[in-house]
């Protein structure tokens, strides 16, 4: 049984196949008569809706479950929740605080588990990101460069791994204290990613074909908001910063976005922004 806990659970060839399947608008009804359990311990606009609609488009029935309803690890063990949900569903998706919880669901090995965002990873986002870039770049990803500027978080980690698996170079710029750890970089490099790290945003975006950012304060980090706000001062993606990208360079953001913090309105709402096709691609990539 296979699980998708982080994007490197797929090979580069498998990611390309998923992206090909994402373009199929009349998919085989592989989930006909089957269910998918979708457990959310955190809020979601894109992930819940894109996953639910992808399951419907594959002929299946999604069941949304609030984290508080099942209380994994509190009301009963993660393993018992996995066994219960697998009795009714063909697959389990989960959005959790601790990555160990999706690992726990997968360890039960009773249904394929898809990570719908944990503190460590966001693989479903990375698939949509690659799909968006592949469409932008005329079907060819290899040899391009994406610059991630901001918190080296779950989204950044999955993006860097995904990019490397399909031959996209990665430039990462983050302020001190919010950079990838050596362990992160080792793992990112272990899949073949050509990754370089910068401590100034201007250096990170230099010549990149795409610039990507995410929130400074992820879900669950709200108590650090003031401290993070100070650390990320000067790290907003504005049009001056975008002037340093390659001709035709685009802007991506997984959303939700905070205009005036990690990105200026002029960029996210400007001509280089591809955030709306990117958000729409969450559903197509999920179906793939
Ligand atoms: N990008 C993303 O995962 O958005 P949601 O948190 O709204 O699902
Ligand atoms: N890094 C953000 C991504 C939201 C889609 C978070 O974890 O809250």
């Amino acid at each position: 049984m296979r699980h998708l806990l982080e994007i490197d659970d797929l090979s580069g060839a498998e990611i390309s196949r998923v992206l090909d399947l994402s373009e199929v608008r009349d998919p085989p009804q592989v989930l006909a008569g089957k269910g998918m359990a979708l457990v959310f311990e955190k809020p979601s606009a894109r992930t819940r809706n894109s996953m639910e609609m992808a399951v419907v488009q594959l002929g299946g029935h999604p069941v949304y479950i609030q984290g508080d309803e099942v209380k994994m690890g509190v009301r009963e063990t993660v393993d018992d929740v996995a066994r219960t949900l697998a009795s009714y569903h063909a697959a389990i998706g989960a959005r959790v605080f601790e990555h160990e919880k999706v690992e726990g669901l997968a360890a039960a090995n009773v249904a394929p588990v898809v990570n719908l965002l944990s503190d460590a990873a966001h693989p479903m986002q990375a698939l949509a990101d690659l799909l968006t870039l592949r469409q932008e770049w005329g079907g060819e990803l290899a040899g391009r460069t994406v610059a991630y500027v901001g918190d080296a978080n779950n989204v950044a980690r999955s993006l860097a791994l995904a990019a490397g698996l399909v031959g996209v170079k990665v430039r990462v710029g983050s302020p001190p204290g919010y950079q990838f750890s050596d362990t992160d970089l080792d793992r990112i490099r272990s899949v073949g990613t050509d990754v370089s790290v910068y401590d100034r945003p201007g250096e990170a975006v230099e010549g990149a074909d795409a610039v990507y950012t995410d929130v400074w304060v992820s879900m669950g980090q709200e108590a650090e908001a003031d401290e993070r706000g100070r650390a990320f001062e000067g790290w907003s993606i504005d049009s001056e910063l975008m002037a340093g990208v390659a001709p035709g360079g685009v802007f991506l953001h997984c959303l939700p976005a905070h205009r005036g913090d990690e990105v200026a309105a002029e960029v996210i709402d400007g001509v280089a922004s591809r955030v709306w096709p990117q958000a729409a691609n969450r559903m197509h990539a999920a179906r793939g």
Side-chain angles (χ1 to χ4, degrees):
M1 184 171 294
R2 295 188 65 190
H3 307 284
L4 182 57
L5 304 189
E6 177 51 297
I7 195 66
D8 60 355
D9 288 329
L10 297 173
S11 68
E14 286 172 329
I15 290 174
S16 297
R17 176 81 181 124
V18 170
L19 300 184
D20 290 345
L21 290 169
S22 305
E23 306 277 11
V24 176
R25 296 299 199 258
D26 54 344
Q29 299 297 286
V30 292
L31 289 179
K34 296 180 179 170
M36 182 165 185
L38 301 168
V39 183
F40 282 79
E41 293 188 341
K42 300 176 181 179
S44 169
R46 282 144 290 273
T47 306
R48 174 185 175 180
N49 284 280
S50 62
M51 289 301 301
E52 287 203 18
M53 289 314 299
V55 170
V56 167
Q57 289 167 5
L58 294 171
H61 183 90
V63 175
Y64 169 76
I65 304 160
Q66 277 187 353
D68 267 357
E69 214 176 321
V70 283
K71 288 191 165 56
M72 285 192 285
V74 177
R75 186 167 181 259
E76 56 191 317
T77 66
V78 173
D79 191 81
D80 287 358
V81 172
R83 285 172 189 280
T84 303
L85 295 178
S87 311
Y88 320 124
H89 295 284
I92 301 170
R95 166 167 284 198
V96 298
F97 286 94
E98 303 88 14
H99 190 72
E100 292 71 27
K101 271 196 188 154
V102 282
E103 288 178 334
L105 288 168
N109 224 36
V110 285
V113 173
V114 179
N115 179 4
L116 304 179
L117 182 145
S118 65
D119 54 356
H122 198 2
M124 298 304 288
Q125 180 67 52
L127 288 171
D129 300 341
L130 290 185
L131 182 61
T132 308
L133 291 174
R134 197 174 82 155
Q135 290 167 344
E136 180 67 28
W137 297 335
E140 190 59 55
L141 286 163
R144 296 282 192 156
T145 300
V146 59
Y148 179 91
V149 175
D151 188 19
N153 59 14
N154 44 8
V155 167
R157 205 172 282 112
S158 293
L159 176 72
L161 285 165
L165 284 162
V166 297
V168 172
K169 296 187 197 107
V170 180
R171 300 166 73 89
V172 185
S174 317
Y178 299 94
Q179 297 164 338
F180 279 132
S181 67
D182 289 343
T183 311
D184 287 330
L185 287 172
D186 285 348
R187 176 157 178 193
I188 291 164
R189 291 194 170 113
S190 75
V191 304
T193 314
D194 177 344
V195 58
S196 43
V197 176
Y198 303 89
D199 50 19
R200 286 169 204 271
E203 289 170 1
V205 305
E206 199 62 55
D209 298 297
V211 176
Y212 197 122
T213 195
D214 184 13
V215 292
W216 293 338
V217 182
S218 284
M219 291 179 276
Q221 298 172 338
E222 290 77 7
E224 301 169 28
D226 289 349
E227 191 186 329
R228 283 174 169 266
R230 284 191 294 275
F232 283 97
E233 226 168 89
W235 284 81
S236 191
I237 312 286
D238 56 17
S239 46
E240 197 184 324
L241 199 68
M242 287 299 289
V245 307
V250 294
F251 173 78
L252 296 181
H253 190 312
C254 56
L255 307 179
H258 299 98
R259 288 166 178 79
D261 284 346
E262 75 274 5
V263 61
E266 73 215 20
V267 172
I268 193 168
D269 301 320
V271 290
S273 178
R274 296 293 179 273
V275 300
W276 296 115
Q278 181 186 9
N281 275 336
R282 288 297 310 273
M283 179 177 75
H284 302 306
R287 193 179 60 240

